[in-house]
Amino acid sequence: MSEDIRKLQDEHENFGKLLDLLGSQLQRFHQGQRPNYELMQDIMYYMTQYSDHFHHPKEDLIFTKLLEHEASIQPVVEDLLAQHRTVVELGIKLYGEISAIVSEAILARTMVTEPCQGYIDGMRRHMSLEEERLFPLAATLLLEEDWAEINAVMTAGMAPLSGKVVEERSQTLLKEITEIAAYENT
């Protein structure tokens, strides 16, 4: 299996953990408790920055490259590309609503709970479809030169050092989120 696919799967695993944490905060709503809005904001910041700006664009390139090898997957690819756009929009909206609450705005409960649950469910379905349908194809059909081209495009789209800096910042933020969640559960 390609190292690139393995990294995407690892990222999906991390996203799953963050979605679990987001879901646990949502449960607090339903139990009449106060969620940790700052934790929710950090999670959505990570999801809207790293996932939307690095993870999904790389998948878009992979899926588009896959079409060159297997045209029959076009409907699945089109669906996943549309899902990426939808997830980005939902994530930005949810991040904005949670940030407003952190800034002490008063919002109706449903303005957070419904988009939050929709985001969690949508991301889970989306990742599952990618892992079941396209990751295995990418691992078997894409050639070394395909991966080199995909990675070159990703690198060229970043400002010098930003890829490494953003990745390091993302890993630090992920670690901080995990530590906060672990502390809350003790």
Side-chain angles (χ1 to χ4, degrees):
M1 176 179 296
S2 160
E3 185 61 33
D4 291 277
I5 293 296
R6 190 175 329 278
K7 183 175 180 188
L8 291 173
Q9 288 173 323
D10 289 347
E11 290 171 354
H12 278 193
E13 186 176 324
N14 288 336
F15 298 158
K17 290 175 185 174
L18 293 175
L19 294 173
D20 289 344
L21 289 172
L22 195 58
S24 72
Q25 296 306 307
L26 190 57
Q27 275 305 112
R28 292 179 131 186
F29 259 127
H30 298 306
Q31 296 168 349
Q33 300 172 0
R34 185 182 191 282
N36 181 335
Y37 293 112
E38 290 80 8
L39 176 61
M40 293 173 75
Q41 182 183 36
D42 287 345
I43 291 167
M44 290 312 301
Y45 177 83
Y46 180 86
M47 295 300 289
T48 59
Q49 295 304 305
Y50 185 78
S51 176
D52 295 348
H53 293 283
F54 296 95
H55 180 86
H56 291 149
K58 185 167 188 171
E59 288 176 335
D60 291 350
L61 291 171
I62 292 167
F63 301 161
T64 302
K65 183 59 78 175
L66 265 175
L67 284 173
E68 295 174 16
H69 295 277
E70 184 59 54
S72 69
I73 62 168
Q74 184 168 352
V76 176
V77 169
E78 288 175 357
D79 184 39
L80 285 169
L81 295 177
Q83 286 180 25
H84 280 168
R85 291 187 296 274
T86 301
V87 164
V88 167
E89 290 170 11
L90 287 173
I92 290 169
K93 184 175 188 236
L94 182 57
Y95 176 71
E97 290 164 351
I98 293 168
S99 294
I101 292 171
V102 169
S103 297
E104 299 186 11
I106 298 174
L107 300 176
R109 173 179 276 195
T110 57
M111 289 185 71
V112 175
T113 58
E114 291 173 9
C116 189
Q117 191 63 59
Y119 184 83
I120 291 167
D121 295 343
M123 277 294 290
R124 289 195 189 286
R125 281 190 308 273
H126 173 77
M127 291 186 302
S128 179
L129 181 59
E130 288 175 334
E131 290 184 12
E132 291 171 11
R133 299 288 305 275
L134 293 187
F135 285 7
L137 284 175
T140 58
L141 295 179
L142 295 183
L143 308 170
E144 287 278 329
E145 51 267 21
D146 294 325
W147 290 112
E149 185 179 327
I150 289 164
N151 289 321
V153 170
M154 286 301 295
T155 303
M158 296 181 215
L161 297 179
S162 70
K164 184 175 182 178
V165 170
V166 169
E167 189 163 339
E168 288 172 359
R169 173 65 183 126
S170 296
Q171 291 304 315
T172 300
L173 182 57
L174 182 60
K175 181 180 175 198
E176 290 170 2
I177 291 168
T178 305
E179 289 173 359
I180 290 168
Y183 175 78
E184 283 194 350
N185 291 330
T186 58

